[in-house]
Amino acid sequence: QELVLEPAAKRCKAENARHANVLKQANNHHGTVLKQWRSLCRLLTSPRSAWADRNPPEVRWKLSSAETYSRMRLKLVPNLNFDQHLEASALRDNLGADHLQNPAESLPLAMAKEAKVSELEDDQLAEEDLPVLDNQAEPKEQNQREKLVVSEDCELITTVAVVPGRLEVTTQHVYFYDGSPEKEETEGGIGYDFKRPLSHLREVHLRRYNLRRSALELFFIDQANYFLNFRKKVRNKVYSCILGLRPPNQTYFGSRSPQELLKASGLTQKWVLREISNFEYLMQLNTIAGRTYNDLSQ
């Protein structure tokens, strides 16, 4: 009976995988079309355009997330979701506004104990995570079929939101799928989905989130960067898989601690020789040390 059911089980598994792939493609297509449509609407309703508003509303601006190599943010973009935060102002001025419900609870004692200075450990891989890095990945050809390497649930941490979703790393790309019930409008369109070529990955750093060693920060050559939080035991697995793929533009390899990374980078020597400015040196130093713009607690 098992021999009879085995082909049916295989067929069912293949059909389920095909169905999931079709849903993913449809979702990506829907997101792309929506971004293009909103971009076209903005183009046609912008000042001096065909559908321009004769009495346009006041334009509000915000600092873009685009950075230079020195991690400076110099660009302003329109703030399409401007909020005057009237409730916060009323609370500040004691105008009788209702106090916020469900105040944020303090971190559990276990988190605080984990961050004790006396037991502070470097953010580096354990010995059991190293075998993945020992296997040198062969260079990938452009026409080679894309294969999924790792897929894990995670959270995208931004300065204004914690976005639940799923990270997928393939032999050619890094994907993040926004799993929010209602996707918000962002600079890139709707939702926080992103797709980045693995060849554009410049740096991957181990990070902490809420005092736990559970996060990664990805930096790409186009100045984009993403802060992702995982379950604690999953973080090192994802990190090892990414390093095992040997992205061609990645600067730092291996499981080295921040101290070893600083020594290997040669930043101090470049600063002494005046090849980089004080600002550039301090920004790179802070990045290696674990500080980030994406998490307000840091």
Side-chain angles (χ1 to χ4, degrees):
Q1 186 177 3
E2 291 181 359
L3 294 175
V4 174
L5 293 177
E6 186 175 355
K10 288 183 178 179
R11 181 64 184 273
C12 181
K13 184 178 180 180
E15 286 298 314
N16 288 337
R18 190 172 68 88
H19 179 254
N21 190 36
V22 169
L23 288 179
K24 186 187 298 184
Q25 291 179 353
N27 186 40
N28 289 343
H29 178 70
H30 175 74
T32 302
V33 171
L34 198 58
K35 288 179 183 179
Q36 293 175 347
W37 171 247
R38 297 184 75 90
S39 176
L40 182 61
C41 286
R42 289 171 187 160
L43 177 66
L44 293 175
T45 56
S46 61
R48 295 186 295 277
S49 63
W51 297 347
D53 190 349
R54 293 186 178 181
N55 299 308
E58 182 182 359
V59 179
R60 305 285 184 167
W61 299 87
K62 66 178 180 180
L63 200 60
S64 171
S65 59
E67 298 178 354
T68 66
Y69 274 110
S70 299
R71 303 218 62 186
M72 299 174 66
R73 298 187 177 188
L74 305 177
K75 182 181 177 182
L76 290 175
V77 294
N79 187 354
L80 304 175
N81 298 312
F82 178 76
D83 186 358
Q84 292 185 339
H85 301 289
L86 297 178
E87 293 181 2
S89 299
L91 286 172
R92 178 199 63 195
D93 298 333
N94 297 320
L95 298 180
D98 295 333
H99 289 283
L100 299 176
Q101 300 296 324
N102 299 325
E105 298 180 358
S106 60
L107 291 173
L109 183 59
M111 286 186 179
K113 286 182 177 179
E114 187 179 344
K116 285 197 302 183
V117 177
S118 59
E119 298 178 0
L120 207 59
E121 300 174 2
D122 289 328
D123 277 326
Q124 58 184 22
L125 295 189
E127 292 182 1
E128 61 270 18
D129 298 310
L130 296 180
V132 180
L133 301 179
D134 294 335
N135 300 324
Q136 294 274 351
E138 298 179 359
K140 307 295 186 301
E141 298 180 2
Q142 292 296 328
N143 56 359
Q144 186 179 1
R145 185 175 179 182
E146 187 173 12
K147 296 180 181 179
L148 181 66
V149 176
V150 63
S151 177
E152 294 290 346
D153 291 330
C154 63
E155 296 172 328
L156 178 67
I157 310 300
T158 70
T159 53
V160 294
V162 176
V163 184
R166 189 167 188 83
L167 180 75
E168 292 189 359
V169 180
T170 70
T171 52
Q172 297 180 10
H173 292 90
V174 177
Y175 300 87
F176 176 79
Y177 300 102
D178 186 344
S180 304
E182 296 182 1
K183 296 187 178 182
E184 299 179 2
E185 186 174 2
T186 63
E187 292 179 27
I190 303 297
Y192 288 87
D193 296 340
F194 68 78
K195 172 186 175 182
R196 297 282 175 174
L198 193 66
S199 59
H200 290 183
L201 186 63
R202 178 166 55 92
E203 295 178 30
V204 183
H205 289 284
L206 298 167
R207 292 288 187 252
R208 300 183 183 211
Y209 182 65
N210 285 344
L211 305 180
R212 293 192 173 194
R213 302 178 185 90
S214 60
L216 293 175
E217 192 166 23
L218 311 179
F219 295 86
F220 293 84
I221 59 176
D222 63 351
Q223 319 310 325
N225 57 83
Y226 303 96
F227 191 96
L228 300 167
N229 182 50
F230 301 87
R231 297 190 305 275
K232 185 179 178 183
K233 295 182 179 180
V234 171
R235 191 267 304 257
N236 287 356
K237 172 188 172 184
V238 175
Y239 183 72
S240 299
C241 289
I242 293 176
L243 294 190
L245 292 170
R246 300 290 173 179
N249 286 306
Q250 189 166 340
T251 307
Y252 305 125
F253 281 104
S255 61
R256 290 173 289 191
S257 65
Q259 293 91 331
E260 293 171 334
L261 281 178
L262 176 62
K263 188 179 296 183
S265 67
L267 279 174
T268 304
Q269 188 67 14
K270 291 179 181 178
W271 174 64
V272 169
L273 297 176
R274 299 187 178 184
E275 295 178 6
I276 57 176
S277 67
N278 290 353
F279 180 84
E280 290 173 318
Y281 176 63
L282 290 175
M283 292 306 295
Q284 291 295 326
L285 198 64
N286 282 324
T287 299
I288 293 176
R291 297 180 181 90
T292 174
Y293 284 131
N294 294 310
D295 182 10
L296 285 179
S297 67
Q298 302 185 55

